[in-house]
Amino acid sequence: MLNEGGVILLSSDRVSCFRAELESDRSGRSLMLPSEKPAGRALVCAGSEARGGLRSSEPPAPRPRPARPALRTLLSLPVLQRNAPLLSHAALSGARSHPDGARVWVQERGQLHPSTVSTCADGSLVFTSDYGQVLSLQGALSRERVQLMHSSSVNGVEDMSSLSELHEAAIMLNLHQRYQRDCIYTNIGSILAALNPYKRIAGLYDAAAVELYSRHRLGSCPPTSSPSPTSATAACGNGTTASAGESGAGKTESTKLLLQFLSVMSQNSAGTPPTERTTHVEKAIVQSSPIMEAFGNAKTVYNNNSSRFGKFILLHFSQSGNIQGGCVVDYLLEKNRVVRQNPGERNYHIFYALLAGADHDHRELYFLSEPESYHYLTQSGCVRDKSLDDKQLFDSVMEALTVMEFREEEIRDVFKLLSAVLQMGNIEFMTAGGAQITTKGVVSVVSELLGLDWFQLSEVLTQRSLILRGEEICSPLTVEQAVDSRDSVAMALYAQCFSWIIMRINQKIKGKDNFKSIGILDIFGFENFEVNRFEQFNINYANEKLQEYFNKHIFSLEQLEYNREGISWEAIDWMDNAECLDLIEKKLGMLALINEESRFPKGTDSTLLEKLHSRHATNPYYVKPRVADHQFGIRHYAGEVLYDVRGILEKNRDTFRDDILNMLKDSRQDFIYDLFERVGSRSSEETLKMGTARRKPTVSSQFRDSLHSLMAS
């Protein structure tokens, strides 16, 4: 059940005080907050007003500048609101003289700066902020300009619900101080904030630490990613931890740490016979991570290990707390990355790993060469990355495949397919009465790797075959259309191979599911690139949906509970993104228009853009650019994003010609045939039933239905 957990992520590229420290680490850029629904009930009040049923008689403290979306959410968390004690007027104004070394908050240009006081000879005050800025103030200083810092902010706290000063600057200072001491985890009640989980700290995740945290309840030990038994074992009931936020936040890294901890807890669970304490399911669950990362992650401009798909991992536990089985559900693999990437990005890790790790015999068997010789790997201008060890990744994948009991024949078939995909990108065309292939040797290699007929492959790449009134009609393709056909084959091969790998993982970890379960949602982070396309539109839609979930379960349902209990409380000012979601998914919303235009044979990206502008230009969450003639925008909860309309309809249709599908089903290799055996043709799907045409659902409609199903599960 998703109502047992949630996640907030704050990106450090929006928090300047952490930027310098994070630049020296791996690409972790966030504060991640895997959470449970706060326990207990209490009075919730906003701002500097009453807590515990009392209202302050003093004037309110200066209002801080508007918080960033994620920080606004964090600041209004009920657990923070109800636990923060009042800072008295005397505490704020008692140190009028501001002695040397005093810790204060200095208001400058709408921001509060944590600073230390030093007095100059001329009587002016110089303040040195914790982030290196020097501020000099003269004359009488008002309480609104300089405030004495409370001891909880001076010393820092493990649990931010005990902070006496509730504003953005205090939260940032506490996290900054702890990060400098290698305390990357901080509690907010039952919520855990993880700042840069990529940072390796000795002893933090070793066996002794796991043993310690597995035997203590939440709050009795310093914060760490290891959940307490009350939240990490099936004894507390079904639950889910959801990870969401900007790309590069560390969601996947935290997911791996959580899986490792749950695996160890499972092996050490009380009442489990010693013979069951090291099960194949636990090993398989842990070892599935490097496989899914290799095939589903890639380097982007934000992150050198960005998840290009979403996954929901469900673990089933026995009554004694032992993992009995599990399953993985994947969402929206970014197929387009196989054939093109943005400048400075890379294709999926597995391609580079295979080229770096294959020995001489396998290089000959798979017709492999150097990465620089493949169009699908070189077009972005980034082939190698010093922060990534492709050879080491290959070794990890091979070890994981062995643990997961992939047969040698299966591994060979997968690597042949990967090589064929790379070779597909090197097929080139010229115009001579239609598209003609100029690299026939490459076609021969692809045919051998995939078990296809050379002539049939050449035909489907250069001409379209249609069945009209029982007669086959062939028409030549242009060079541009031939390139699209080539790319569609490469994307289909990789996508089907990825689905097959997830299926094999599920076969290995499948087990009993008759007691309790814990779900872990690791989904793509919010993205805003220089050019944002259909993939970013869906990814950010998913993040809007997760934000709505968080709002509902942390704010709306909590406040309804207060009303049922008859508690007097003051409404929290939190960011509601319901109207933004209405723009995207309601009737005649953006998704409906995209799907409608995808159904029209004459629908184009330009006609789609016209309809979007016409229908939604007056919506406050819709952006109609003044200059760009191929963009539209959305004001998301995390910021405004402009999307490029070009290619949206084609990607949404996800068309795959019947003649290409039939060719792949004719493969001499059982592996290729099995991948496409159950893929239906367009002609068979467009049959009439009850007076309406049954057509293949669009990519966006499938993704929307998956999201709704996930939120309801």
Side-chain angles (χ1 to χ4, degrees):
M1 295 291 290
L2 279 173
N3 62 357
E4 295 294 333
V7 168
I8 313 170
L9 289 128
L10 310 180
S11 172
S12 70
D13 57 9
R14 300 182 179 182
V15 183
S16 59
C17 60
F18 297 117
R19 188 171 297 149
E21 288 88 352
L22 292 178
E23 284 176 353
S24 64
D25 290 300
R26 195 162 171 255
S27 56
R29 289 193 287 273
S30 78
L31 316 176
M32 193 171 97
L33 314 175
S35 75
E36 297 176 301
K37 186 167 179 265
R41 298 288 176 263
L43 177 63
V44 178
C45 301
S48 60
E49 303 228 322
R51 294 162 181 87
L54 301 176
R55 184 172 295 273
S56 172
S57 61
E58 302 295 340
R63 184 178 180 85
R65 68 184 177 86
R68 304 171 185 91
L71 279 173
R72 271 201 298 271
T73 300
L74 192 154
L75 282 165
S76 54
L77 283 173
V79 66
L80 281 178
Q81 293 284 350
R82 66 168 171 263
N83 289 339
L86 273 176
L87 183 60
S88 69
H89 181 265
L92 287 173
S93 57
R96 295 286 180 172
S97 60
H98 303 296
D100 290 358
R103 297 285 287 148
V104 296
W105 296 105
V106 179
Q107 182 91 357
E108 181 72 10
R109 296 181 181 179
Q111 297 187 32
L112 286 174
H113 298 264
S115 307
T116 303
V117 179
S118 59
T119 306
C120 293
D122 60 1
S124 64
L125 289 179
V126 175
F127 303 89
T128 304
S129 82
D130 288 35
Y131 313 130
Q133 298 168 295
V134 178
L135 306 171
S136 179
L137 303 179
Q138 295 182 348
L141 300 178
S142 66
R143 186 182 59 201
E144 287 74 18
R145 191 69 186 277
V146 179
Q147 305 172 25
L148 188 65
M149 187 180 293
H150 191 272
S151 60
S152 63
S153 296
V154 174
N155 302 321
V157 294
E158 289 184 349
D159 190 334
M160 288 199 291
S161 64
S162 62
L163 278 176
S164 292
E165 296 163 315
L166 185 57
H167 49 68
E168 177 182 339
I171 293 173
M172 293 296 97
L173 174 62
N174 191 69
L175 292 170
H176 173 66
Q177 291 174 328
R178 291 182 58 76
Y179 185 81
Q180 289 184 315
R181 300 195 298 266
D182 279 346
C183 299
I184 64 174
Y185 294 103
T186 303
N187 285 329
I188 308 175
S190 61
I191 299 170
L192 178 69
L195 178 60
N196 188 16
Y198 297 106
K199 189 171 186 178
R200 294 305 176 197
I201 300 173
L204 191 58
Y205 307 113
D206 60 17
V210 172
E211 177 70 16
L212 174 66
Y213 280 86
S214 66
R215 299 184 183 280
H216 290 79
R217 300 185 69 83
L218 184 66
S220 59
C221 291
T224 184
S225 64
S226 302
S228 68
T230 55
S231 61
T233 65
C236 71
N238 297 331
T240 291
T241 294
S243 301
E246 289 186 319
S247 181
K251 300 178 296 298
T252 299
E253 192 69 15
S254 294
T255 297
K256 289 190 292 184
L257 292 172
L258 182 56
L259 287 174
Q260 291 170 8
F261 178 80
L262 291 174
S263 176
V264 174
M265 281 196 65
S266 170
Q267 295 173 29
N268 298 336
S269 57
T272 303
T275 56
E276 297 180 8
R277 291 187 178 180
T278 304
T279 68
H280 72 280
V281 173
E282 292 155 352
K283 286 185 177 180
I285 288 171
V286 173
Q287 288 296 330
S288 67
S289 292
I291 299 175
M292 289 189 288
E293 279 192 37
F295 284 85
N297 288 27
K299 169 185 165 60
T300 68
V301 294
Y302 279 172
N303 178 11
N304 65 6
N305 188 35
S306 177
S307 297
R308 309 317 300 162
F309 74 109
K311 61 178 178 288
F312 181 63
I313 304 173
L314 190 64
L315 304 179
H316 303 298
F317 290 79
S318 67
Q319 192 166 2
S320 62
N322 184 252
I323 296 177
Q324 296 293 295
C327 68
V328 178
V329 181
D330 63 291
Y331 300 95
L332 197 70
L333 177 72
E334 187 184 20
K335 295 189 294 184
N336 192 63
R337 178 167 295 273
V338 176
V339 299
R340 62 183 61 87
Q341 309 89 39
N342 291 328
E345 298 188 347
R346 298 212 310 175
N347 210 316
Y348 286 104
H349 292 326
I350 189 61
F351 291 115
Y352 309 92
L354 175 60
L355 297 176
D359 58 28
H360 177 74
D361 292 340
H362 286 110
R363 295 182 74 85
E364 288 189 349
L365 176 64
Y366 306 138
F367 299 94
L368 299 177
S369 56
E370 294 302 312
E372 289 79 6
S373 64
Y374 296 105
H375 172 66
Y376 284 162
L377 303 184
T378 59
Q379 56 183 311
S380 68
C382 180
V383 176
R384 303 181 189 275
D385 188 307
K386 293 181 180 179
S387 66
L388 297 172
D389 189 333
D390 297 322
K391 175 63 168 62
Q392 183 182 32
L393 176 61
F394 179 80
D395 295 338
S396 298
V397 171
M398 292 302 296
E399 178 185 354
L401 291 172
T402 301
V403 172
M404 299 294 289
E405 297 182 354
F406 280 71
R407 299 191 304 273
E408 289 187 11
E409 181 183 359
E410 292 176 327
I411 297 174
R412 184 176 65 248
D413 289 339
V414 169
F415 288 166
K416 280 187 175 182
L417 181 147
L418 295 176
S419 178
V421 168
L422 291 178
Q423 295 284 353
M424 287 287 299
N426 290 348
I427 298 177
E428 298 177 355
F429 305 90
M430 61 174 289
T431 301
Q436 299 294 326
I437 296 174
T438 60
T439 51
K440 296 184 178 179
V442 178
V443 177
S444 178
V445 171
V446 173
S447 301
E448 182 172 344
L449 288 169
L450 298 177
L452 303 176
D453 179 77
W454 180 91
F455 180 76
Q456 189 179 11
L457 176 59
S458 301
E459 271 198 333
V460 299
L461 293 179
T462 56
Q463 59 184 1
R464 178 185 288 109
S465 175
L466 299 174
I467 304 296
L468 185 61
R469 296 178 182 177
E471 182 178 350
E472 184 178 9
I473 299 177
C474 297
S475 57
L477 302 177
T478 65
V479 169
E480 183 180 10
Q481 291 172 331
V483 169
D484 288 341
S485 295
R486 176 199 70 188
D487 291 347
S488 68
V489 174
M491 289 188 291
L493 285 167
Y494 192 84
Q496 291 299 119
C497 180
F498 183 82
S499 297
W500 178 84
I501 288 173
I502 297 296
M503 180 268 293
R504 287 285 285 108
I505 290 174
N506 282 331
Q507 288 178 347
K508 180 63 178 176
I509 66 177
K510 183 180 180 181
K512 299 177 182 178
D513 58 357
N514 56 354
F515 190 61
K516 301 294 184 179
S517 63
I518 291 178
I520 302 172
L521 179 63
D522 176 18
I523 206 162
F524 10 62
F526 187 88
E527 294 183 344
N528 188 1
F529 297 135
E530 185 174 342
V531 179
N532 299 289
R533 305 189 186 278
F534 180 66
E535 292 80 11
Q536 280 68 49
F537 175 81
N538 283 292
I539 286 171
N540 293 342
Y541 164 47
N543 278 270
E544 283 285 355
K545 202 69 180 172
L546 287 175
Q547 181 69 15
E548 178 198 41
Y549 160 78
F550 181 83
N551 289 343
K552 177 180 179 182
H553 289 277
I554 298 299
F555 300 120
S556 298
L557 296 183
E558 188 82 2
Q559 293 177 6
L560 288 174
E561 188 67 23
Y562 292 174
N563 288 336
R564 281 195 293 268
E565 295 185 11
I567 298 175
S568 299
W569 59 280
E570 185 170 327
I572 297 172
D573 181 19
W574 51 276
M575 192 174 191
D576 189 356
N577 67 333
E579 292 185 27
C580 182
L581 272 174
D582 286 344
L583 167 67
I584 297 173
E585 62 180 9
K586 71 176 182 180
K587 186 177 182 181
L588 297 181
M590 299 179 71
L591 280 177
L593 290 178
I594 292 173
N595 289 328
E596 178 185 83
E597 202 67 11
S598 298
R599 300 298 189 194
F600 291 154
K602 295 184 179 180
T604 66
D605 295 325
S606 297
T607 59
L608 169 63
L609 189 62
E610 290 177 6
K611 291 184 178 180
L612 289 173
H613 287 341
S614 175
R615 173 69 64 177
H616 300 296
T618 59
N619 190 303
Y621 290 90
Y622 184 84
V623 179
K624 181 181 179 181
R626 295 182 178 179
V627 180
D629 58 356
H630 51 77
Q631 288 184 325
F632 64 91
I634 301 176
R635 292 185 176 92
H636 292 283
Y637 77 96
E640 181 179 306
V641 180
L642 294 179
Y643 299 98
D644 195 319
V645 75
R646 292 173 293 188
I648 281 185
L649 290 187
E650 188 61 30
K651 292 176 182 177
N652 192 46
R653 291 168 179 147
D654 195 25
T655 53
F656 196 50
R657 289 182 2 226
D658 290 348
D659 53 348
I660 296 178
L661 178 60
N662 293 332
M663 174 198 66
L664 293 170
K665 288 183 177 181
D666 287 339
S667 171
R668 297 185 300 273
Q669 287 191 22
D670 292 339
F671 179 68
I672 301 299
Y673 171 79
D674 291 341
L675 290 183
F676 293 92
E677 178 186 14
R678 297 185 179 181
V679 177
S681 65
R682 285 190 297 167
S683 59
S684 63
E685 289 168 347
E686 295 179 2
T687 57
L688 294 179
K689 181 179 181 181
M690 300 296 290
T692 59
R694 295 180 58 198
R695 300 180 178 179
K696 176 184 177 182
T698 62
V699 171
S700 60
S701 64
Q702 292 181 74
F703 187 57
R704 177 200 60 208
D705 294 342
S706 296
L707 278 179
H708 288 178
S709 175
L710 178 65
M711 296 304 161
S713 64

